[in-house]
Amino acid sequence: RQAEAERTRRAAVITAEGEKASARAITEAAEMLSRAAGGMNIRTLQTLEKIAREPSQKTVIVVPADIAGSIGKIVGKQ
């Protein structure tokens, strides 16, 4: 039981380390995209292209961030 508990603990630590590394990489990518003019637009288009290749019944509505922010402010006032 003790060995099994130790393996479980080590697996949890390894998983947590992987999550931290993933979070760091995502943060770095987001920072790079935000610095590049049009970076987020290009990334959004890449994501839409990927979704379009997968056969499914998804409906995607793209709302620019500046409009979405305005809508959020209006809805928040009500």
Side-chain angles (χ1 to χ4, degrees):
R1 287 183 183 177
Q2 185 177 358
E4 183 179 346
E6 179 60 22
R7 284 192 298 274
T8 301
R9 185 195 69 76
R10 278 186 281 165
V13 169
I14 290 168
T15 299
E17 290 297 325
E19 292 288 334
K20 284 172 36 179
S22 177
R24 275 193 288 275
I26 289 170
T27 300
E28 290 174 13
E31 289 172 355
M32 290 173 67
L33 284 170
S34 69
R35 285 193 301 263
M40 286 303 294
N41 291 337
I42 290 171
R43 183 66 186 115
T44 300
L45 291 173
Q46 289 172 335
T47 301
L48 289 173
E49 179 187 24
K50 182 178 179 181
I51 290 170
R53 280 189 249 136
E54 299 173 6
S56 66
Q57 295 183 13
K58 296 175 186 161
T59 301
V60 178
I61 300 172
V62 180
V63 179
D66 54 341
I67 294 173
S70 298
I71 293 170
K73 289 177 187 174
I74 292 169
V75 171
K77 290 181 180 179
Q78 294 178 352

